[in-house]
């Protein structure tokens, strides 16, 4: 997630420079052809161009709206994880007691049970964010040169899941989790089994057990929603049409635009011979600006299709998960030196 109010003009230029050069090259070839070759007859009226441009504007607008909806839904899902995690941390501390215990346990043992369940929840968030960062076949934004050259990557690409889970799980739990394909689901199963054992020993009252199980169900729902966005891309047929329609417009536009500048130049030639002769070259900056607008709008839509991919415009799930971890561990009474710091934002980007 980019945190500045706006991107710098220099950053936007660098991000789009290869596409802009491609557009500049196309219009330059057309202007050279019209200026040095006798092809003034090769022109088309503005009506079909306007119709294609309208269609492109509509379909790009539709894609950008859909991409924003996916990003916003992803943010709401992880906002739900924040709220449910805080409720879980509070319930664990206040519901695991000796009040209904068959055999009274020491305060140290009760705190150990709370810590084990809290740490396992942190492990669940860690496994979920790692799963959301696994690159899918349709997630190609991170592979683009202008996205890679910043040299920043999400934390999940800088460490392994096993290394990140190790501080929070026992050896037995780790062996069980690593044997499963869906590790975040396995962790919630472990949580449920642990709560059942505590209920059977009386350390959790039956009503409290149902409340805690309800929170686990909420976490399953939020996990499933997050996985749905990750595993179901923006429909490829729409993405394909966007791309092709946009390039049809950009390739046909010079055949209408350049002759129009030639005509204007011919009208100026009687009064201003030099300007009239060179006026056709003004088609280059005008076309480049128009092409840049359409191409950049389409690219922004493609960039927002996958809100968990790990680019600078995605939902900052790593930052959210680490923020929850800090809250939970502080409320366990841990000293600040033992709690990891928030992930550093680089180039004004939070992951």
């Amino acid at each position: 997630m980019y945190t500045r109010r706006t991107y710098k003009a220099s950053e936007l230029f660098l991000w789009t420079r290869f596409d802009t050069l491609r557009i500049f090259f196309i219009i330059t070839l057309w202007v050279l052809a019209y200026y040095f070759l006798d092809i003034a007859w090769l022109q088309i009226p503005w009506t079909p161009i306007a119709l294609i441009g309208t269609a492109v504007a509509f379909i790009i607008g539709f894609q950008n709206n859909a991409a924003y909806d996916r990003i916003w839904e992803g943010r709401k899902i992880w906002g739900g994880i924040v709220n449910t995690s805080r409720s879980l941390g509070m319930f664990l501390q206040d519901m695991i007691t000796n009040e209904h215990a068959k055999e009274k346990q020491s305060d140290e043992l009760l705190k150990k049970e709370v810590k084990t369940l809290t740490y396992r929840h942190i492990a669940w968030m860690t496994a979920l964010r790692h799963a959301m960062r696994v690159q899918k076949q349709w997630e190609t934004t991170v592979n683009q040169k202008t996205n890679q050259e910043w040299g920043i990557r999400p934390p999940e690409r800088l460490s392994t899941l096993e290394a990140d889970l190790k501080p929070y799980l026992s050896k037995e739990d780790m062996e069980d989790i690593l044997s499963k394909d869906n590790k975040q689901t396995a962790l919630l199963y472990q949580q449920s089994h642990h709560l059942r054992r505590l209920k059977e020993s009386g350390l959790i009252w039956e009503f409290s057990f149902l409340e805690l199980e309800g929170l686990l169900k909420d976490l399953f729902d939020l996990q499933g929603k997050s996985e749905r966005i990750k595993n179901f891309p923006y429909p490829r047929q729409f993405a394909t049409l966007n791309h092709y329609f946009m390039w049809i417009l950009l390739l046909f536009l010079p055949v209408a635009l350049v002759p129009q500048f030639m005509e204007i130049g011919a009208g100026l030639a009687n009064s201003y011979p030099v300007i009239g002769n060179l006026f056709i070259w003004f088609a280059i900056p005008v076309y480049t600006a128009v092409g840049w607008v359409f191409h950049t709008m389409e690219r922004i839509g493609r960039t927002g299709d996958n809100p968990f991919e790990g680019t600078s415009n995605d939902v900052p799930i790593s930052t959210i998960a680490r923020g929850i971890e800090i809250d939970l561990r502080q409320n366990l009474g841990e000293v600040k030196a033992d709690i990891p710091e928030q992930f550093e934002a680089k180039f004004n980007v939070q992951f």
Side-chain angles (χ1 to χ4, degrees):
M1 179 181 70
Y2 192 75
T3 57
R4 283 176 54 92
R5 182 174 177 270
T6 58
Y7 279 96
K8 296 179 181 178
S10 59
E11 293 173 335
L12 194 57
F13 170 78
L14 290 173
W15 188 62
T16 61
R17 68 186 186 278
F18 295 117
D19 303 319
T20 306
L21 286 173
R22 189 179 298 116
I23 293 169
F24 179 83
F25 180 73
I26 291 171
I27 188 59
T28 301
L29 287 180
W30 276 107
V31 170
L32 288 171
Y34 275 98
Y35 190 78
F36 292 107
L37 303 177
D38 186 19
I39 60 171
W41 55 268
L42 180 58
Q43 55 183 293
I44 59 177
W46 278 101
T47 302
I49 298 298
L51 291 174
I52 295 174
T54 301
V56 172
F58 271 113
I59 198 168
I60 289 178
F62 175 81
Q63 179 188 26
N64 287 358
N65 284 338
Y68 180 80
D69 285 344
R70 287 168 65 85
I71 293 173
W72 186 240
E73 184 182 3
R75 183 59 186 89
K76 288 193 294 184
I77 290 167
W78 278 80
I81 291 175
V82 171
N83 297 338
T84 306
S85 299
R86 289 169 175 167
S87 298
L88 179 65
M90 177 182 66
F91 283 8
L92 290 175
Q93 292 191 35
D94 292 337
M95 289 181 173
I96 299 178
T97 67
N98 280 316
E99 184 178 358
H100 302 280
K102 297 177 182 177
E103 295 183 9
K104 303 296 183 182
Q105 303 294 332
S106 65
D107 290 342
E108 288 73 17
L109 187 141
L110 295 179
K111 290 181 180 179
K112 182 180 178 181
E113 296 288 358
V114 172
K115 181 177 179 179
T116 299
L117 287 162
T118 302
Y119 270 40
R120 191 181 291 121
H121 177 70
I122 297 172
W124 171 80
M125 290 189 298
T126 302
L128 182 58
R129 63 181 172 87
H130 269 271
M132 294 299 100
R133 298 300 195 199
V134 173
Q135 189 170 354
K136 299 292 184 180
Q137 182 179 359
W138 55 83
E139 293 179 336
T140 59
T141 302
V142 294
N143 296 330
Q144 295 173 356
K145 178 177 175 57
T146 51
N147 289 319
Q148 291 182 335
E149 62 191 2
W150 299 98
I152 54 176
R153 293 183 293 171
E156 294 77 20
R157 304 257 165 82
L158 302 175
S159 63
T160 64
L161 174 60
E162 184 175 358
D164 285 348
L165 289 179
K166 192 173 182 180
Y168 308 110
L169 299 175
S170 65
K171 182 179 179 180
E172 294 76 15
D173 284 351
M174 276 287 291
E175 292 176 354
D176 178 56
I177 292 303
L178 294 178
S179 68
K180 303 295 194 304
D181 291 332
N182 193 316
K183 295 171 176 56
Q184 55 271 24
T185 295
L187 282 161
L188 289 181
Y189 271 85
Q190 284 187 355
Q191 290 284 69
S192 181
H193 299 333
H194 193 162
L195 292 175
R196 184 196 63 199
R197 291 193 298 270
L198 293 177
K199 189 261 293 183
E200 291 172 348
S201 66
L203 293 179
I204 294 180
W205 183 37
E206 290 187 5
F207 180 77
S208 300
F209 172 74
L210 294 176
E211 285 286 329
L212 290 168
E213 286 287 299
L215 290 181
L216 294 187
K217 177 183 178 300
D218 291 341
L219 293 175
F220 264 125
D221 289 341
L222 293 166
Q223 173 187 318
K225 291 176 180 178
S226 188
E227 291 171 340
R228 181 191 67 216
I229 294 177
K230 177 68 177 181
N231 297 325
F232 186 83
Y234 177 74
R236 296 296 87 194
Q237 66 272 28
F238 292 116
T240 302
L241 288 176
N242 291 352
H243 187 71
Y244 289 158
F245 286 4
M246 182 267 299
W247 275 110
I248 288 173
L249 174 65
L250 294 185
L251 293 176
F252 273 97
L253 182 58
V255 190
L257 185 68
V258 179
Q260 184 73 39
F261 274 79
M262 289 181 63
E263 183 179 339
I264 297 173
L268 293 172
N270 293 330
S271 302
Y272 308 98
V274 176
I275 295 177
N277 184 52
L278 298 177
F279 196 81
I280 186 176
W281 297 96
F282 285 102
I284 293 178
V286 172
Y287 173 86
T288 301
V290 173
W292 180 85
V293 168
F294 275 94
H295 194 285
T296 303
M297 286 172 58
E298 193 267 343
R299 186 177 177 186
I300 288 173
R302 283 187 281 118
T303 302
D305 285 347
N306 306 299
F308 302 130
E309 186 175 356
T311 67
S312 60
N313 299 299
D314 292 343
V315 180
I317 59 176
S318 306
T319 300
I320 293 172
R322 178 56 59 85
I324 299 170
E325 177 182 355
I326 293 171
D327 284 349
L328 293 175
R329 294 180 66 171
Q330 284 180 345
N331 285 290
L332 283 177
E334 296 186 14
V335 297
K336 188 174 183 179
D338 295 336
I339 301 174
E341 295 182 354
Q342 181 58 271
F343 293 117
E344 180 184 0
K346 298 180 179 179
F347 297 105
N348 302 298
V349 175
Q350 290 181 342
F351 285 106

